[in-house]
Amino acid sequence: MSLESPFVLLALITLPLVLAWLGRRAPRIAMNWPSLRFLPELVEPTRERRGLAMPPLWVILTAGSIGSMVVAIARPLLDDDKEPAGITVLFDVTASMAWRDPAGRTRWRVALDRTLEELASEPRGRITWRTYPDLSTVAVTEGRADRTRLEALLTPRCAVAPAAVAWSTLQGERVLFVTDGAPTSLPADVAVRETAVGGGTNAGIVSAACDEDGTCWIVVHVAGDAPRDVWLADRAGTAFTERVRIEPGGFHTFQRASAELRAPVSLRTNGEDALALDDWVQEHASGPTSVRLAFGSTVLERVLASLSGFRTALEGEDADVVVTRGAVAHQYARAEVRLEAGDGEFAPGSLLAQDVPDRETFSRLEPLPLAVRSVHREGARVLFSARMEDGRVVPVIVIEENTLLVGISLDSLEAHRQRYHVPLLFALSLAVLRERLVQPGFPRMPVADGGGCQNLLALAETDQVWSSATSTALREVRSENASSPRGSERPWLIAALILWLLGPCLRLLRARPRPSAS
Amino acid sequence: MRRFPPSFLERVQHLSAAWVPPGMALPGGLPRRGIGEGLVFEDHREYTAGDDPRSIDWNATARLGEPFVKRTRREEGRRLGIVVDATASMNFGTPNKLDAAIRLAAAMGLLAVRSGARVNVVRLGGNGPRSSNLDRWAQARAFLEGLDAIEADAPRRPVVDTLRSAFPASHARRAVILLTDAYELEEWLHGLESLCASGHRPVLWQVFAPEEIHPPLEGALQLVDAEGGETRDLSWNDATRNVYQHRLEQFLETLERTCARHRIPWQAHVTDRDELLELQRFLRRTREVP
């Protein structure tokens, strides 16, 4: 059993004790008596000589009121058997945690270091490691944690913060929430203690594209509450764009020759940010857009229908392929800057596709039903493809025109309940490291094998494709139920409660005359 | 004398004149049968019809020329023993039980002397004169002073030993009035039976304080036994009071039943009542019921 408010309980227990002490009855009056022969059976034990003068009704009312107050305020929790003792570390493993700081350290590694530092000051106890947003328990450690093992378990994943988190599963736990941004779905009654917060401004690349003429556009956005100077640089930090001051909420498009972008793009800024870009995207996602399906798919339509604000439309009626497995495109935001219409390649990478393998090469690739097969600018539409089990690569989804894709969420249809977050930023690296395939009808299609966000994250780990001065915010979230020390850590509190409630009852029973005496 | 008011002797005399005419029962129910039946010369009176001719004093008749008879008394029948319990348990109550017992003993003794008996008061326990004798009314003041010097105290001899020592079987039979609270019930019952076996006629006057009948107790108490010093803690409440009353009634019933079995007169006296009035009622009752 644990208590939500042990100090309130202590006060409740102390108050009646003081009242009872003040209400003690006077010591027994000693007096001579000719003979005690008529009173032998009514003798009371001497040890109760200075007992409390409490009438039975008073005892009952006191015990009842104390019990009621304990239940109402101290709230004893009876789920100790289910809840582990110690502290729960809720570690954010969304994709944004994979981003790098100017020093080249990924955000989640910095966060893990700081978490372990904080835990070192905690009293020894069991540490339950949970991941956010799925809240699943990945490890339970005692004492000093194995950092290598934790690194393997807490690697960022293709996950975004869902609209609703099952916070109720954390009831009664003392939670250290390690995240790079305040989750919007935190319940109102959850207290957040920020242990480290950076500035209130965030800057990042939200989109990039190149045309066949070798011109690339890189769209940069600044969110937060302060302007920021940003520029693009290569891995070595050599700037190849001018410094631009962007006001909060503003965009700027860097236009550079593709040759300059053969090296990984690095966005440099003069300040720190506190709000991860994907969180900003999550919060400021634009309203509904339409998704045009290249081919009819009952499953896919159902998945899309589950996403609020999406409309689906078939690209063509002559589709002869039924897609049973595919991908879902999710437009995060509507950018103010549009790419020019016309033929060309929308290549999510700093390098343009030049060595395009032929169709045969493409067909030899492993089936990657979740991979982004193609990003093609065709009438301001971006097409995705899926490779079928028979080897055919088919277009799946067409993003509505007049939108600038800043993020893609891919879903496995088998596990569509969890949306994978793939910032387009990571796709830039695909063109750098992976071969690019061009299929007839889908020219200059960069291909990433391994599929999905996981591979993109792995690439992000090894390649500095993103840079923003981002500090990691460690937040300790204590739900109301978990704000107090656990009952198991304060057994004397529970013992005091039990004794206090039992004492008057025992006294009441002892004060009752024995039947034999009468 | 702190125990006796100035009017005590006067009240006893008045009581004697009113309630102790010749032939009346002595305190304790002992009939005054002695005059005319004993060997001790009392005086002469003129012969009247019906007198036993054997009682004619021929010498006096020869000297005076008219028949005179001798009046004699039976010496052994005119002794009264009084036992006053002066143990610590008697030093209790308002008015004090021992004071009341001593006033009763004095009144009984004086009345007995007025009726021609000789009185011997024996103290049981306590301190002061162990025994006080009263043969004539003229000794009344000294008798009262001796009784007034008795003080209660805890140590005492067993009841039976004291009674046997004071009233052995070899002595002439007499009435023995016991003034006590008789809380040591078994001892007193044994003593009563011992007196009966010795041929004496015991009378039990049981003295209670009003506090013992209706204890004015309340709350948490530590009662100390007046004789043994034993302490008992208890909370006095309705249940305690009921048990006390029940056991007190049982105690009195036991005494009354035992006294009735041995034909021992038993009288309970509560000290808030006037001793002489109580004694007067006793005399009236014993005379009306010979």
Side-chain angles (χ1 to χ4, degrees):
Chain A
M1 185 174 75
S2 59
L3 301 172
E4 268 195 356
S5 305
F7 297 107
V8 176
L9 172 63
L10 185 61
L12 288 176
I13 294 175
T14 304
L15 181 61
L17 283 177
V18 171
L19 293 177
W21 176 261
L22 295 176
R24 287 187 316 157
R25 70 182 176 196
R28 293 184 184 277
I29 301 172
M31 58 186 302
N32 289 326
W33 198 253
S35 174
L36 304 179
R37 65 176 300 141
F38 306 137
L39 303 164
E41 291 87 357
L42 295 178
V43 171
E44 292 180 354
T46 305
R47 57 187 169 84
E48 292 192 5
R49 190 176 305 168
R50 295 178 67 86
L52 302 176
M54 292 190 293
L57 181 61
W58 192 89
V59 172
I60 293 172
L61 290 178
T62 302
S65 60
I66 294 295
S68 302
M69 286 189 287
V70 166
V71 172
I73 300 177
R75 292 186 183 175
L77 303 175
L78 302 175
D79 52 356
D80 263 4
D81 294 339
K82 294 183 294 184
E83 300 295 339
I87 190 171
T88 296
V89 177
L90 184 60
F91 203 89
D92 187 350
V93 294
T94 56
S96 63
M97 291 293 284
W99 295 353
R100 290 172 178 273
D101 61 12
R105 300 192 67 199
T106 51
R107 187 177 296 173
W108 72 274
R109 290 182 187 276
V110 175
L112 181 58
D113 288 342
R114 295 182 58 179
T115 302
L116 293 176
E117 287 177 9
E118 284 211 1
L119 293 177
S121 61
E122 285 279 328
R124 288 185 175 274
R126 185 161 55 177
I127 302 172
T128 303
W129 296 84
R130 290 175 178 262
T131 55
Y132 173 83
D134 58 329
L135 305 185
S136 60
T137 300
V138 296
V140 177
T141 60
E142 295 273 358
R144 183 175 293 277
D146 183 355
R147 193 182 192 286
T148 305
R149 178 168 171 247
L150 290 177
E151 283 182 351
L153 296 171
L154 301 176
T155 303
R157 300 160 193 173
C158 299
V160 295
V165 179
W167 295 108
S168 59
T169 59
L170 299 176
Q171 286 283 316
E173 295 187 34
R174 186 171 167 232
V175 180
L176 177 65
F177 189 11
V178 182
T179 181
D180 56 354
T184 56
S185 57
L186 268 177
D189 59 346
V190 170
V192 178
R193 185 171 69 84
E194 297 181 349
T195 57
V197 177
T201 301
N202 189 25
I205 297 175
V206 296
S207 180
C210 300
D211 62 13
E212 291 179 331
D213 298 332
T215 303
C216 294
W217 298 268
I218 299 175
V219 182
V220 177
H221 176 70
V222 171
D225 53 9
R228 186 65 55 85
D229 290 343
V230 295
W231 66 94
L232 295 178
D234 60 12
R235 185 193 297 267
T238 304
F240 47 81
T241 65
E242 71 283 8
R243 268 173 101 134
V244 177
R245 188 170 187 80
I246 305 176
E247 294 298 320
F251 291 86
H252 180 76
T253 302
F254 290 105
Q255 183 173 349
R256 308 299 300 176
S258 62
E260 292 180 312
L261 303 178
R262 290 184 182 276
V265 177
S266 174
L267 177 68
R268 297 303 174 93
T269 179
N270 63 338
E272 292 184 344
D273 68 337
L275 186 64
L277 186 64
D278 56 347
D279 295 324
W280 175 85
V281 167
Q282 187 80 0
E283 292 177 6
H284 298 84
S286 64
T289 55
S290 62
V291 173
R292 188 178 306 165
L293 301 181
F295 301 95
S297 168
T298 304
V299 176
L300 192 56
E301 288 178 352
R302 189 179 306 153
V303 171
L304 291 174
S306 68
L307 303 175
S308 62
F310 270 86
R311 293 183 293 108
T312 59
L314 281 177
E315 173 68 9
E317 297 293 336
D318 57 347
D320 58 353
V321 177
V322 176
V323 178
T324 57
R325 306 176 73 183
V328 176
H330 181 190
Q331 179 194 354
Y332 276 135
R334 185 185 298 272
E336 297 298 327
V337 180
R338 295 182 181 180
L339 298 179
E340 293 295 328
D343 294 337
E345 179 186 37
F346 183 77
S350 59
L351 297 178
L352 296 178
Q354 294 178 352
D355 302 324
V356 179
D358 55 15
R359 181 173 183 174
E360 184 180 355
T361 304
F362 180 79
S363 63
R364 287 201 301 269
L365 295 175
E366 291 295 319
L368 302 170
L370 298 182
V372 176
R373 290 295 180 184
S374 170
V375 180
H376 182 69
R377 181 175 167 224
E378 180 180 300
R381 290 182 299 178
V382 181
L383 279 70
F384 291 80
S385 68
R387 187 167 187 245
M388 307 308 297
E389 294 181 353
D390 59 1
R392 289 182 298 163
V393 176
V394 296
V396 176
I397 298 174
V398 178
I399 299 298
E400 185 71 31
E401 61 181 357
N402 297 329
T403 61
L404 184 64
L405 194 66
V406 297
I408 299 174
S409 174
L410 297 181
D411 245 352
S412 160
L413 296 184
E414 291 84 1
H416 66 270
R417 283 170 298 185
Q418 183 172 358
R419 283 180 289 166
Y420 293 139
H421 174 207
V422 184
L424 187 60
L425 174 66
F426 294 132
L428 293 172
S429 64
L430 299 180
V432 177
L433 299 177
R434 304 303 304 173
E435 58 182 338
R436 288 142 297 182
L437 302 178
V438 175
Q439 189 179 16
F442 297 93
R444 300 184 185 279
M445 293 184 296
V447 174
D449 66 358
C453 176
Q454 295 293 347
N455 190 42
L456 302 180
L457 290 178
L459 295 176
E461 280 287 293
T462 57
D463 193 65
Q464 185 176 357
V465 296
W466 171 266
S467 172
S468 71
T470 303
S471 65
T472 301
L474 294 182
R475 297 169 185 268
E476 183 174 1
V477 177
R478 296 171 186 266
S479 68
E480 186 179 353
N481 285 341
S483 60
S484 61
R486 299 183 58 80
S488 57
E489 297 171 2
R490 306 282 175 88
W492 59 271
L493 269 179
I494 299 188
L497 169 65
I498 294 173
L499 288 177
W500 170 247
L501 292 178
L502 282 181
C505 298
L506 291 177
R507 192 182 305 281
L508 179 61
L509 293 175
R510 285 178 174 275
R512 187 175 301 163
R514 299 176 184 174
S516 58
S518 59
Chain B
M1 292 182 288
R2 59 185 175 86
R3 287 194 176 110
F4 301 102
S7 60
F8 184 78
L9 276 176
E10 184 180 348
R11 289 187 63 196
V12 172
Q13 281 180 315
H14 177 74
L15 182 65
S16 172
W19 292 101
V20 193
M24 170 195 165
L26 284 173
L30 181 67
R32 189 189 179 210
R33 302 181 302 167
I35 294 180
E37 297 178 359
L39 300 177
V40 179
F41 172 77
E42 186 76 16
D43 57 9
H44 291 94
R45 66 173 174 82
E46 291 182 357
Y47 176 81
T48 58
D51 286 340
D52 187 350
R54 293 176 295 179
S55 63
I56 296 175
D57 185 345
W58 295 108
N59 292 330
T61 300
R63 281 198 304 273
L64 298 174
E66 290 182 9
F68 276 79
V69 295
K70 285 193 294 186
R71 296 217 311 171
T72 60
R73 56 183 172 87
R74 197 176 65 181
E75 186 175 354
E76 66 277 14
R78 306 197 62 185
R79 290 181 179 273
L80 175 66
I82 300 175
V83 177
V84 176
D85 182 1
T87 56
S89 66
M90 291 292 287
N91 187 24
F92 179 79
T94 306
N96 189 274
K97 288 162 64 178
L98 180 60
D99 293 348
I102 287 178
R103 280 192 291 271
L104 278 171
M108 291 174 181
L110 291 171
L111 287 177
V113 165
R114 290 287 290 181
S115 64
R118 298 177 62 186
V119 178
N120 173 226
V121 177
V122 176
R123 168 178 58 82
L124 178 73
N127 296 316
R130 181 174 300 277
S131 177
S132 299
N133 296 321
L134 179 63
D135 296 333
R136 300 183 304 276
W137 183 264
Q139 300 171 336
R141 181 158 294 277
F143 174 69
L144 295 183
E145 288 175 351
L147 293 180
D148 200 47
I150 294 177
E151 297 293 341
D153 199 3
R156 61 170 177 81
R157 295 171 63 191
V159 174
V160 175
D161 292 351
T162 302
L163 294 180
R164 282 178 179 167
S165 171
F167 310 105
S170 57
H171 281 194
R173 296 178 182 178
R174 66 188 69 186
V176 179
I177 300 175
L178 308 175
L179 294 163
T180 177
D181 53 16
Y183 277 142
E184 291 76 28
L185 179 62
E186 293 74 16
E187 282 194 49
W188 283 100
L189 291 178
H190 192 192
L192 289 170
E193 292 171 352
S194 173
L195 288 173
C196 291
S198 300
H200 301 297
R201 299 191 61 195
V203 177
L204 179 60
W205 273 66
Q206 196 167 6
V207 182
F208 291 107
E211 294 92 335
E212 292 173 288
I213 306 300
H214 301 290
L217 304 177
E218 197 62 54
L221 301 170
Q222 185 183 58
L223 299 183
V224 182
D225 188 280
E227 296 193 0
E230 179 188 2
T231 61
R232 301 289 174 86
D233 295 342
L234 59 85
S235 293
W236 191 265
N237 48 38
D238 290 343
T240 319
R241 183 176 293 106
N242 292 337
V243 172
Y244 181 91
Q245 298 290 353
H246 178 70
R247 293 191 173 273
L248 179 61
E249 290 171 5
Q250 283 186 330
F251 172 74
L252 297 177
E253 286 175 5
T254 302
L255 265 178
E256 189 175 19
R257 196 166 50 245
T258 304
C259 290
R261 189 168 63 244
H262 294 282
R263 299 179 181 276
I264 299 173
W266 171 76
Q267 174 73 25
H269 172 72
V270 184
T271 60
D272 59 351
R273 297 176 186 172
D274 185 89
E275 293 86 10
L276 296 183
L277 291 180
E278 284 289 296
L279 188 57
Q280 179 178 324
R281 293 192 189 97
F282 177 79
L283 294 174
R284 180 189 300 163
R285 187 170 67 247
T286 53
R287 193 187 64 165
E288 289 173 355
V289 184

